[in-house]
Amino acid sequence: MSALPPVLTPPATRPHLAVTSLPKAWYVACTSTELRDKPLARTVLGIPLVVFRSAAGAAALLDRCPHRNVPLSEGKVVNSELECAYHGWRFDGQGACVSVPGLLDTPAGAPARCAVRYPCEEQDGLVWVWCDPDTAPTSKPYVIPGVSDKRYTIARLEMDLPSTLLSALENLLDVPHTAFLHAGLFRSAKVRNRITAKIRRTADGVECQYIGEPRPTGLIGRVLAPGGGIVEHYDRFMMPCIGQVEYKMGESSHIIATQVMTPITDFLTRTYAVLAFRMPIPGAVVRPILEPVIRRILKQDAWVLQKITDNVTRFGGERFTHTDIDLVGPDIWYLLRRAERGELDREAAFSEREVSLEV
């Protein structure tokens, strides 16, 4: 069993990652179904935002009227413009002030009267916001696999996780805990199989491939592959907030669970889970079985993450001991810290290793 490379060994005690340190990225503010005819208040990276449907599509502004500091989310949408509840100032999707009722002497759209705008994109049933209003987006939002593929059935879940972004991501991609916290749903502590994991880290994320893994013994595994066998299993992290688990069994069964994590505050993260799957059994039959199971798993994760947050608060900081089978958590920590410090050397981020473990 290989040892962790020195660069992956974080200090035993460390300060938690401040969410405000990672603004130059896309984060999900809400789902498309939530964004209807009323403005919606959301907090992303600690930033109060108002999201609404403008003439050009989904739009996001700082939730503060430049006139008298009233939350714009208390207003209403009139003719695809956001109207402040206090004096009726209206703003378009670019944040430009297009109307000041009663004003006669100067145009409404003076720069000082404009609201702060955040780039916004609607894609895959999610509304994404680029959280730095002073920079143009350097990429498009992540395309979630399976959503636009008619062969796949889609299930969606949303839940608040009382934890840091790091802990939420690490929890999602941590295999060893599934035999205990989720016993019977994924794996069992009584049935262990020796497998190999190959971990490849780049500047943009981490992928862990599990080789020789028998079908998990829990309910999820039985639904995925009723006849048993060896599964193709990948866990992935994509900078800075996406975790993904993929299982494939032959050509007939395939499931990709993508969770987009939105840090609301340092210790509150909302996950938008999108489950894309295709199986020999019709998706309309499988979805009513899978959805409550996935919700139960997320509730169990939320419970343990709350306990972690409570203890971090009680002891005044985080403390970790890592082993070889903490496969991607140290890599996630390393990449997020590099991003926080603005370190852009792609070659320095690259690493590969192989680990033997029991699951």
Side-chain angles (χ1 to χ4, degrees):
M1 186 176 291
S2 63
L4 287 172
V7 75
L8 289 181
T9 306
T13 303
R14 69 190 188 214
H16 67 268
L17 187 80
V19 297
T20 53
S21 65
L22 300 168
K24 291 179 172 61
W26 290 101
Y27 297 92
V28 172
C30 64
T31 64
S32 295
T33 55
E34 291 177 292
L35 195 59
R36 297 179 180 174
D37 57 350
K38 295 181 180 180
L40 190 64
R42 280 291 185 264
T43 300
V44 180
L45 298 193
I47 305 166
L49 300 173
V50 56
V51 189
F52 70 103
R53 289 203 180 279
S54 71
L61 307 178
L62 191 68
D63 195 12
R64 180 171 67 185
C65 182
H67 181 214
R68 289 293 183 268
N69 296 290
V70 172
L72 288 170
S73 57
E74 295 296 332
K76 59 184 178 181
V77 179
V78 179
N79 296 328
S80 301
E81 296 165 354
L82 182 56
E83 182 179 278
C84 179
Y86 195 14
H87 293 92
W89 285 29
R90 287 191 191 176
F91 303 89
D92 66 14
Q94 297 298 309
C97 181
V98 295
S99 176
V100 176
L103 183 69
L104 299 176
D105 57 346
T106 58
R113 296 172 186 156
C114 295
V116 177
R117 169 192 172 265
Y118 289 77
C120 191
E121 296 266 355
E122 189 170 5
Q123 179 180 287
D124 296 331
L126 301 171
V127 177
W128 301 74
V129 175
W130 180 268
C131 282
D132 188 348
D134 298 322
T135 64
T138 56
S139 64
K140 288 289 189 180
Y142 178 73
V143 177
I144 298 178
V147 171
S148 60
D149 190 330
K150 294 183 179 180
R151 297 176 301 166
Y152 288 81
T153 301
I154 306 299
R156 297 175 182 269
L157 294 169
E158 179 185 340
M159 187 172 292
D160 284 349
L161 303 175
S163 77
T164 63
L165 172 64
L166 172 63
S167 290
L169 287 165
E170 186 175 25
N171 166 267
L172 168 63
L173 302 177
D174 172 57
V175 168
H177 87 275
T178 60
F180 299 91
L181 183 63
H182 309 306
L185 298 177
F186 274 111
R187 299 172 178 84
S188 168
K190 297 178 181 179
V191 180
R192 311 295 284 177
N193 298 286
R194 188 179 180 90
I195 64 170
T196 298
K198 290 186 176 181
I199 305 101
R200 183 177 185 269
R201 187 187 70 209
T202 67
D204 302 317
V206 188
E207 181 178 83
C208 183
Q209 179 185 5
Y210 298 86
I211 300 170
E213 180 181 2
R215 182 208 70 183
T217 56
L219 177 60
I220 294 290
R222 294 197 297 273
V223 172
L224 175 67
I230 302 298
V231 299
E232 293 182 52
H233 174 191
Y234 295 86
D235 287 347
R236 301 184 183 96
F237 163 65
M238 284 77 81
M239 283 285 293
C241 61
I242 297 172
Q244 188 176 87
V245 178
E246 179 179 10
Y247 283 98
K248 187 175 182 181
M249 186 73 185
E251 296 300 321
S252 59
S253 296
H254 189 202
I255 183 169
I256 308 178
T258 303
Q259 289 192 37
V260 184
M261 306 283 190
T262 296
I264 299 172
T265 66
D266 286 359
F267 287 97
L268 179 60
T269 301
R270 179 170 293 139
T271 184
Y272 295 86
V274 181
L275 189 71
F277 63 90
R278 56 181 175 85
M279 298 178 185
I281 307 170
V285 174
V286 176
R287 184 163 56 189
I289 300 171
L290 278 183
E291 283 183 337
V293 173
I294 299 301
R295 187 172 296 279
R296 181 179 175 187
I297 290 168
L298 285 175
K299 286 183 176 180
Q300 291 172 339
D301 286 333
W303 173 83
V304 78
L305 288 168
Q306 179 69 71
K307 297 303 178 183
I308 293 171
T309 293
D310 290 346
N311 239 19
V312 168
T313 303
R314 179 165 66 150
F315 285 100
E318 297 175 322
R319 184 177 178 86
F320 297 87
T321 300
H322 289 283
T323 70
D324 283 346
I325 61 172
D326 295 303
L327 297 175
V328 297
D331 294 272
I332 297 172
W333 173 86
Y334 174 68
L335 290 175
L336 290 176
R337 283 300 186 191
R338 280 176 55 87
E340 182 183 39
R341 295 191 295 263
E343 296 175 359
L344 303 177
D345 186 346
R346 302 182 69 84
E347 291 185 4
F350 181 82
S351 74
E352 289 183 318
R353 65 189 190 276
E354 188 172 298
V355 175
S356 296
L357 70 157
E358 286 187 344
V359 297

